[in-house]
Amino acid sequence: MWFQYLHTGMTEKIIILDFGSQYTQLIARAVREANVYCEILPFSKPIAFDDSVKGIILSGSPFSVNDANAPQVAIKSLISKAPVLGICYGAQLTAKQFGGQVERSNKREYGRAVLHINEEDALLKNLVPASQVWMSHGDTILQLPETFRLLATTDSIPVAAFKNTDDNYQPLYGLQFHPEVYHSIEGKKILHNFLIHICGCKQDWTPAHFITDTVAALKEKIGSRKVIMALSGGVDSTVAATLIDRAIGNNLYGIFVDNGVLRKDEFEAVLTTYQRLGLNVKGIDAKHVFYDALAGKTDPEQKRKAIGKLFIDTFQEEASKIDGVSMLGQGTIYPDVIESVSVHGPSVTIKSHHNVGGLPEKMHLELVEPLRYLFKDEVRKVGRELGIPDELISRHPFPGPGLAIRILGEVTEEKVQLLQQADEVYIQALKKHKLYETVWQAGAILLPVRSVGVMGDERTYEYTIALRAVTSVDGMTADWAHLPYDFLAHVSNEIINTVRGINRVVYDISSKPPATIEWE
């Protein structure tokens, strides 16, 4: 596997076995924030144990340990090789497998609780008295196995933290609460204690370390071969391309396609940035070809598929002009990988993924994905370490189909220009008022709704723009951004006064879930 090749020099890692918890990614992020590398694996996948595996974390789960089809792992086998920390379901499974009693609670225990420490073991070292933790479970550990020692309780549950005292095994701990979530005030300190004091991790996972290892591995893997890569102007593809460029220079051939649904002046601005970075990138102006392909299409999936197919055709045509290309660079990041490998089979498709699909199969190219195991915030840290301009590193995520899925209904060149102008007013105002970096993603949506308005003595009948801004950590969940009223009033006035064709502005206050970030 490419990733294993890339990180053969890795000195340490934590394995997180996923039982389907909604919080598994948060565990991984907390471990990475402690400068310790980790991987998420489905519970059913065997672990390739070697000297780099320093510890194992068992995640929570929507299952009860008493369900007939509850997911299982052999915990005794795991602790014969490395220290183990069970969180929520992982703790309940541990207690049950060793002979403890786990039963359904009379009521589901969810929310804040106060931790009462019975014994200050290495796991709970340096915690304040009565530390707040977060509960989310339906089962309760009523009785611990014989060799287990109680470390902490709460007012509502008899067992909140425990350890195995059997010296024949590696350390084994369990937490009934979730240390990885924000509401567990000292949860990251507990995880830090497990990583450092129990697993003995050296905390050498840093952006600089990642860059050095990755560039060296890319040089060895790619050698003198040529890599072609589709660039979008986004953070992921730019950072990935810069890493590959550090390894092979002009043997990387970047292609940046103007599909006609980019933001205002984005094509020219991004090409200028790539030139400053010294990347070998060719810009392709294909916007009118894309407009023709989108004509008459109103269904979001049809628009996505039309753009995806035409992009592949355009990319393949340009690639055919370069002799000897055998590898394809992509800016795939870890959430993309995790979403595609679920614990109990593929997830329901909510919408086609915005990343480029179909190219490796169609062009028979070997993939190069240097960011495959990084989260978005880690990609940004690596980008800054590489010296990529901050205006690009701090750029909001932008969907592959671009403004085509922010124009509800049919996409035309006139509608694109209208939305580009309104979106530009909005984004520039966010930057001017120092709000751009406080939100995860923002953009304007052109609604297929016209309404009556009055400008001076003139009656108007023009389009409505919806403004969207959300706060998030990684886009998996998101809350609508509480932008100041005076700011929204200012943006509304600017759009209506300067963009001819818009006479009404609304603000979207929906969170994800139940809504999605994009409207289509």
Side-chain angles (χ1 to χ4, degrees):
M1 186 201 290
W2 160 248
F3 170 71
Q4 291 174 333
Y5 181 94
L6 181 60
H7 292 285
T8 49
M10 188 71 62
T11 56
E12 59 185 25
K13 66 182 173 185
I14 297 293
I15 300 295
I16 301 169
L17 291 184
D18 182 21
F19 294 102
S21 170
Q22 62 179 320
Y23 298 137
T24 302
Q25 283 201 40
L26 295 182
I27 300 173
R29 297 179 68 85
V31 173
R32 298 275 186 93
E33 286 174 11
N35 296 117
V36 176
Y37 178 74
C38 66
E39 291 179 40
I40 297 174
L41 298 179
F43 73 92
S44 55
K45 185 171 182 178
I47 299 173
F49 280 99
D50 56 32
D51 291 341
S52 69
V53 178
K54 308 298 287 185
I56 300 165
I57 297 176
L58 310 178
S59 83
S61 175
F63 285 85
S64 163
V65 293
N66 295 316
D67 289 345
N69 58 343
Q72 301 282 333
V73 294
I75 297 174
K76 279 189 178 180
S77 175
L78 297 180
I79 57 174
S80 67
K81 300 179 176 69
V84 172
L85 171 65
I87 294 175
C88 197
Y89 178 89
Q92 296 158 5
L93 183 64
T94 300
K96 183 172 182 178
Q97 283 193 8
F98 282 78
Q101 183 183 357
V102 182
E103 300 293 344
R104 176 66 65 181
S105 305
N106 293 329
K107 64 177 182 178
R108 188 166 182 267
E109 291 160 331
Y110 182 87
R112 294 173 179 84
V114 175
L115 194 67
H116 303 297
I117 298 174
N118 290 27
E119 178 181 335
E120 189 181 291
D121 184 83
L123 185 69
L124 305 180
K125 188 179 178 65
N126 296 327
L127 265 63
V128 300
S131 184
Q132 177 184 291
V133 295
W134 184 260
M135 297 288 181
S136 179
H137 59 95
D139 287 346
T140 295
I141 302 169
L142 297 179
Q143 184 175 335
L144 286 172
E146 288 184 5
T147 61
F148 285 30
R149 182 181 299 163
L150 179 68
L151 297 181
T153 65
T154 71
D155 293 332
S156 58
I157 61 172
V159 178
F162 61 81
K163 70 178 290 187
N164 183 15
T165 60
D166 189 337
D167 293 334
N168 294 315
Y169 296 100
Q170 296 272 6
L172 171 61
Y173 288 87
L175 299 174
Q176 181 62 90
F177 56 91
H178 286 273
E180 71 274 19
V181 303
Y182 170 79
H183 300 293
S184 289
I185 303 300
E186 294 187 292
K188 289 184 179 178
K189 184 182 290 185
I190 295 171
L191 289 173
H192 182 274
N193 286 341
F194 177 71
L195 298 171
I196 311 309
H197 301 306
I198 296 166
C199 297
C201 294
K202 294 191 290 290
Q203 298 177 276
D204 60 0
W205 173 251
T206 64
H209 183 200
F210 173 82
I211 291 168
T212 301
D213 283 357
T214 301
V215 171
L218 287 168
K219 284 180 179 178
E220 187 172 348
K221 180 177 176 64
I222 300 170
S224 60
R225 290 187 286 177
K226 295 179 181 178
V227 178
I228 193 167
M229 184 169 183
L231 296 174
S232 66
V235 179
D236 303 335
S237 65
T238 302
V239 172
T242 304
L243 285 167
I244 298 171
D245 175 77
R246 290 277 179 98
I248 64 171
N250 283 344
N251 271 355
L252 170 66
Y253 294 81
I255 295 175
F256 180 36
V257 177
D258 185 354
N259 58 12
V261 285
L262 301 174
R263 281 182 156 140
K264 188 173 185 291
D265 301 327
E266 184 173 20
F267 183 62
E268 295 78 10
V270 169
L271 280 178
T272 299
T273 300
Y274 287 155
Q275 288 174 356
R276 285 165 53 194
L277 289 171
L279 299 180
N280 179 23
V281 179
K282 181 179 181 181
I284 308 297
D285 183 352
K287 54 180 175 287
H288 290 289
V289 181
F290 278 85
Y291 292 149
D292 291 343
L294 289 167
K297 292 180 172 60
T298 58
D299 180 76
E301 281 299 295
Q302 287 185 351
K303 291 192 286 186
R304 286 176 180 273
K305 288 174 181 175
I307 289 173
K309 180 182 182 303
L310 188 51
F311 176 84
I312 290 173
D313 292 344
T314 305
F315 185 85
Q316 192 171 13
E317 181 183 346
E318 290 302 319
S320 66
K321 300 174 184 177
I322 306 168
D323 293 330
V325 172
S326 61
M327 307 183 85
L328 174 71
Q330 284 195 325
T332 309
I333 63 173
Y334 205 17
D336 301 331
V337 178
I338 296 168
E339 287 175 15
S340 66
V341 187
S342 65
V343 172
H344 294 286
S347 303
V348 175
T349 299
I350 297 174
K351 61 187 177 184
S352 299
H353 202 277
H354 65 264
N355 280 356
V356 176
L359 283 172
E361 295 84 357
K362 197 174 184 71
M363 300 177 67
H364 307 291
L365 298 175
E366 184 179 349
L367 279 177
V368 180
E369 299 175 302
L371 307 179
R372 185 176 175 83
Y373 285 83
L374 293 189
F375 288 104
K376 181 70 107 179
D377 57 335
E378 293 174 320
V379 175
R380 288 195 168 104
K381 289 176 183 175
V382 169
R384 290 189 175 97
E385 188 75 22
L386 287 167
I388 296 172
D390 195 65
E391 63 265 22
L392 197 151
I393 290 299
S394 61
R395 182 178 183 263
H396 289 174
F398 190 64
L403 299 181
I405 58 168
R406 293 182 180 175
I407 297 172
L408 306 196
E410 184 181 10
V411 177
T412 66
E413 185 173 3
E414 292 72 25
K415 287 182 180 178
V416 170
Q417 292 175 355
L418 199 65
L419 181 55
Q420 283 178 333
Q421 293 176 64
D423 184 76
E424 176 74 0
V425 171
Y426 182 32
I427 297 301
Q428 291 307 316
L430 284 168
K431 292 179 177 178
K432 181 179 177 181
H433 288 80
K434 311 297 184 187
L435 293 168
Y436 186 81
E437 292 188 5
T438 68
V439 300
W440 163 264
Q441 187 170 339
I445 299 97
L446 182 65
L447 306 185
V449 175
R450 294 191 185 212
S451 62
V452 175
V454 178
M455 293 187 180
D457 294 327
E458 183 182 349
R459 178 182 181 275
T460 61
Y461 189 63
E462 297 177 337
Y463 284 105
T464 300
I465 282 286
L467 303 180
R468 182 74 160 138
V470 298
T471 57
S472 181
V473 174
D474 52 21
M476 301 297 291
T477 61
D479 191 16
W480 61 277
H482 295 228
L483 298 178
Y485 289 156
D486 56 352
F487 169 79
L488 292 172
H490 164 74
V491 172
S492 175
N493 287 336
E494 280 294 302
I495 290 174
I496 292 170
N497 289 335
T498 61
V499 183
R500 186 175 295 274
I502 304 294
N503 69 353
R504 192 176 297 271
V505 175
V506 298
Y507 187 58
D508 182 351
I509 58 169
S510 309
S511 297
K512 176 188 179 183
T516 53
I517 295 176
E518 298 293 344
W519 280 42
E520 289 191 342

